[in-house]
């Protein structure tokens, strides 16, 4: 099923013993700053300063990338980042997830998966990790990225992600999100690269002391995804990064004449971590992701 596919792979091995890092991007094919950051980081890396080794795959889902398909794999319309660790006997996406997990992720000691907002998503930078026995190391990686928010959702809201599958296999893992709307913005590429460098310092793979997290970094303990009850025109009243109060208005879904079909309100106070920017929304369409249960960073 996957025999016609190939993956770009970059490898680096340092002169000193250290962890084996799996560094990936392009799980979703239109998240371009993440893809560019993996390539740029690896091309600029001074391997003489590296402890351990890095296996980097900048485009994990090659058919999504080639088809400019946001969110899903075009062969079966499924989200690859809800399909790990995969199944070799399942659908195309299941088989792809199994190959990526078994060939790239499972042999590693650490996983960093770079993401961002897809074609129709605006996003506030954040890093996600899983509440698992590997939490201490994963949280150290996540905080070292230096983004304003780190997310550890203890409600089991997401399943089948690279980081969740890695954590279940005993591998500390993080998912870093920056950039969005299908734009290749140099500042967001550099945000990823700078975060990568600091994260590798935090685990001893690069020399030097890591920069401390920003003083206003927040830990998000709930990640609430809001969806539309009806299809229509999504008109948001908030933007990515906005703080919202419980029961506050977030926007509305309108009919073709501009009349309001559904008012969207915040189920709790929090911050808008991502926002669908396309007005066209289907029934049960994803509107935004709200980070709740926030507390100050340590």
């Amino acid at each position: 099923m996957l025999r016609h596919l190939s993956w770009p792979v970059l490898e680096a091995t340092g002169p000193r013993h250290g962890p084996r890092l799996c560094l990936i991007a392009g799980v979703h094919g239109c998240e371009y700053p993440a893809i560019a950051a993996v390539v740029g980081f690896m091309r600029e890396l001074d391997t003489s300063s590296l402890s351990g080794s890095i296996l980097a795959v900048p485009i994990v889902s090659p058919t999504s990338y080639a088809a400019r398909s946001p969110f899903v794999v075009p062969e079966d319309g499924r989200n690859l980042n809800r399909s790990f660790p995969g199944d070799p006997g399942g659908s195309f996406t299941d088989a792809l997830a199994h190959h990526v997990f078994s060939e790239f992720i499972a042999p590693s000691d650490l996983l960093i998966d770079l993401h961002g907002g897809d074609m129709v998503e605006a996003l506030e930078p954040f890093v996600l990790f899983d509440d698992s026995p590997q939490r201490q190391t994963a949280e150290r990686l996540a905080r070292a990225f230096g983004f304003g928010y780190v997310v550890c959702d203890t409600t089991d809201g997401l399943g089948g992600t690279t980081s969740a599958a890695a954590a279940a296999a005993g591998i500390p893992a993080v998912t870093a999100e920056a950039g969005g709307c299908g734009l290749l913005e140099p500042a967001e590429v550099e945000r990823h690269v700078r975060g990568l460098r600091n994260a590798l310092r935090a685990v001893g793979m690069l020399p030097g002391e890591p920069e401390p997290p920003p003083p206003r970094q927040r830990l998000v303990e709930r990640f609430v995804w809001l969806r539309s009850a009806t299809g229509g025109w999504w008109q948001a009243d908030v933007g990515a990064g906005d703080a919202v109060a419980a029961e506050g208005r977030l926007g509305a879904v309108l009919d073709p004449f501009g009349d309001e079909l559904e008012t969207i309100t915040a189920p709790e106070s929090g911050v808008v971590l991502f926002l669908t920017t396309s007005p066209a929304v289907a029934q049960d369409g994803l509107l935004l992701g709200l980070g709740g249960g926030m507390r100050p960073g340590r």
Side-chain angles (χ1 to χ4, degrees):
M1 190 183 301
L2 307 178
R3 281 179 292 184
H4 65 292
L5 298 183
S6 60
W7 288 262
V9 175
L10 302 94
E11 293 190 75
T13 301
R16 289 169 295 279
H17 178 73
R20 177 179 173 85
L21 169 68
C22 178
L23 171 62
I24 61 175
V27 170
H28 297 133
C30 301
E31 297 175 359
Y32 302 120
I35 295 170
V38 170
V39 175
F41 176 81
M42 293 298 291
R43 287 180 62 88
E44 295 170 3
L45 178 65
D46 177 5
T47 56
S48 69
S49 67
L50 179 66
S51 296
S53 62
I54 303 173
L55 174 73
V57 185
I59 302 173
V60 162
S61 183
T63 62
S64 300
Y65 171 80
R68 299 174 184 161
S69 174
F71 305 110
V72 300
V73 176
E75 282 77 3
D76 56 13
R78 293 184 55 193
N79 187 336
L80 178 58
N81 210 33
R82 301 294 179 271
S83 305
F84 289 94
D87 177 2
S91 72
F92 183 94
T93 298
D94 288 326
L96 175 59
H98 176 266
H99 177 81
V100 170
F101 186 81
S102 60
E103 294 295 321
F104 304 140
I105 298 174
S108 303
D109 302 308
L110 301 167
L111 170 67
I112 296 177
D113 183 4
L114 301 188
H115 281 255
D118 218 312
M119 280 288 193
V120 293
E121 275 186 334
L123 184 139
E124 175 70 15
F126 66 91
V127 186
L128 184 146
F129 66 96
D130 290 84
D131 190 16
S132 74
Q134 291 74 46
R135 173 169 177 156
Q136 185 175 6
T137 301
E139 186 169 353
R140 186 161 75 250
L141 280 169
R143 290 189 180 279
F145 262 81
F147 295 179
Y149 298 94
V150 291
V151 179
C152 184
D153 188 351
T154 58
T155 63
D156 295 325
L158 297 178
T161 62
T162 57
S163 60
I171 302 167
V174 299
T175 300
E177 303 257 6
C181 296
L183 301 175
L184 183 57
E185 297 176 308
E188 300 306 324
V189 177
E190 178 56 28
R191 189 193 303 271
H192 269 308
V193 171
R194 190 169 60 246
L196 270 173
R197 291 195 196 104
N198 209 48
L200 266 61
R201 293 189 192 107
V203 293
M205 293 187 70
L206 289 179
E209 288 297 315
E211 298 176 10
R216 293 187 60 81
Q217 187 179 75
R218 295 292 184 264
L219 175 65
V220 173
E221 295 185 317
R222 286 185 297 281
F223 203 0
V224 184
W225 291 29
L226 302 185
R227 295 181 174 273
S228 59
T230 59
W233 177 280
W234 163 231
Q235 188 159 301
D237 294 340
V238 294
D242 285 354
V244 299
E247 304 302 325
R249 180 184 169 97
L250 303 175
V253 178
L254 312 179
D255 68 16
F257 304 99
D259 293 320
E260 193 167 298
L261 298 172
E262 179 184 5
T263 302
I264 309 299
T265 59
E268 61 179 286
S269 62
V271 61
V272 178
L273 291 178
F274 70 82
L275 176 76
T276 297
T277 56
S278 166
V281 63
Q283 183 179 8
D284 196 38
L286 182 60
L287 302 176
L288 59 84
L290 183 70
M294 287 191 296
R295 55 188 177 89
R298 290 199 293 268

